[in-house]
Amino acid sequence: MNVDQILDGKELFIIAGPCVVESEEICLTVADKVKELSVKYKTPAVFKSSYAKANRLSGESFAGYGMEYGLEVLGKVREKFDLPVLTDVHETAETRIAAEVVDILQVPAFLSRQTELVRQAAATGKWVNIKKGQFLAPEDMDKIAAKAKSGKVILTERGSSFGYHNLVVDFRSLLIMRRFGYPVVFDATHSLQLPGGMGDFSSGQPEFIIPFAKAAVSIGVNGLFIETHPEPAKALSDSATMLPLDRLETLFKEVLTSKESARQD
């Protein structure tokens, strides 16, 4: 199934993978599980991981092994598992290079108002996933999506700043953004992040990932965004917020049950 079919709005899709490309082994392990569950539960899936993370709180935090290595690994995932692939882009110069390898370019939340980044990402002809900045109202996203001009835009909710070191999720945001006519995704991992909660890095509340994902599906999102890792405690980025890979099947089962219940209601 190609990315256009996945994003046509007819079926719930799941975007899943580790925060950043730490190693080929980890990416292939996670992609194998994502593919397995996608087939088993007849649910379209996209593999995600970023070749770099340019918005770490501390300059000492792991930010990836570089674009060349990261894209090489993502290309292998795409070819081996026949999965569409998503990665962050941070600067306009990166967009065309990344577009040669991946299917979806993601504009990170902190960069969501960067007009030229959105435009250049869209100019590649790829789908662009724009994460709603923690500082933006859902109504703002219609204007930001319009910058792309291509219409091939996904809007992702990832929580809003609530005081210091905390985020909250206003589920009205998902319904408001759906009015704009783009696929809407709920990021169930970053929405539960506690930014800077551990001083030099962020903490989180991963125990709420599955309940929040179920809530989002029950009100009608198009997709879910899940960061997952075989051993989150050992992950080099976002270790406190990722879903353990061995819990991913539980998430698939429970969100699909919520979706079916919502249909019957």
Side-chain angles (χ1 to χ4, degrees), residues 150-177:
S150 68
K152 296 175 72 170
V153 170
I154 309 161
L155 300 178
T156 294
E157 170 61 58
R158 53 93 71 233
S160 299
S161 296
F162 187 72
Y164 299 115
H165 306 307
N166 197 17
L167 297 172
V168 295
V169 177
D170 181 353
F171 281 97
R172 292 175 299 181
S173 172
L174 300 169
L175 300 176
I176 291 168
M177 290 195 293

Side-chain angles (χ1 to χ4, degrees), residues 42 103 110 123 154:
K42 298 178 178 158
D103 303 274
F110 285 121
I154 309 161

Side-chain angles (χ1 to χ4, degrees), residues 12 14 169 171 174 186-189 192 207-221 223-226 243 247-263 265:
L12 177 74
I14 293 181
V169 177
F171 281 97
L174 300 169
F186 176 62
D187 182 342
T189 42
L192 293 163
E207 66 270 25
F208 298 122
I209 291 172
I210 292 177
F212 271 50
K214 290 168 62 179
V217 168
S218 71
I219 65 171
V221 294
L224 294 171
F225 184 104
I226 308 292
L243 183 74
R247 294 277 291 155
L248 189 60
E249 183 164 12
T250 299
L251 182 139
F252 267 77
K253 289 191 291 190
E254 295 201 16
V255 299
L256 291 172
T257 298
S258 289
K259 179 185 175 186
E260 188 58 34
S261 297
R263 278 179 175 172
D265 292 343

Side-chain angles (χ1 to χ4, degrees), residues 93-171:
E94 298 177 8
T95 57
R96 292 196 178 278
I97 301 170
E100 293 177 1
V101 178
V102 306
D103 303 274
I104 304 173
L105 301 175
Q106 180 166 280
V107 176
F110 285 121
L111 300 177
S112 56
R113 285 186 56 164
Q114 295 295 104
T115 299
E116 203 55 31
L117 180 59
V118 172
R119 287 177 175 167
Q120 290 299 316
T124 66
K126 299 290 184 174
W127 281 85
V128 181
N129 182 33
I130 308 174
K131 285 200 163 184
K132 181 175 78 63
Q134 302 91 322
F135 43 85
L136 293 174
E139 294 86 354
D140 298 336
M141 295 304 290
D142 191 26
K143 304 176 187 67
I144 291 173
K147 295 175 182 180
K149 297 184 180 178
S150 68
K152 296 175 72 170
V153 170
I154 309 161
L155 300 178
T156 294
E157 170 61 58
R158 53 93 71 233
S160 299
S161 296
F162 187 72
Y164 299 115
H165 306 307
N166 197 17
L167 297 172
V168 295
V169 177
D170 181 353
F171 281 97

Side-chain angles (χ1 to χ4, degrees), residues 16-93:
C19 176
V20 66
V21 176
E22 299 178 22
S23 71
E24 180 177 325
E25 179 184 4
I26 289 174
C27 284
L28 293 178
T29 297
V30 175
D32 187 37
K33 176 59 71 172
V34 171
K35 180 70 175 186
E36 173 196 328
L37 297 176
S38 173
V39 172
K40 182 176 180 178
Y41 292 99
K42 298 178 178 158
T43 300
V46 174
F47 179 81
K48 69 82 46 190
S49 194
S50 295
Y51 52 78
K53 301 298 289 186
N55 54 2
R56 307 307 307 278
L57 177 62
S58 169
E60 303 304 314
S61 296
F62 179 74
Y65 291 116
M67 190 175 196
E68 183 177 354
Y69 174 74
L71 289 178
E72 179 183 349
V73 172
L74 294 176
K76 288 180 180 179
V77 166
R78 190 174 187 267
E79 181 177 356
K80 182 177 177 65
F81 298 102
D82 191 28
L83 283 170
V85 172
L86 173 152
T87 191
D88 286 340
V89 288
H90 307 92
E91 299 180 18
T92 56

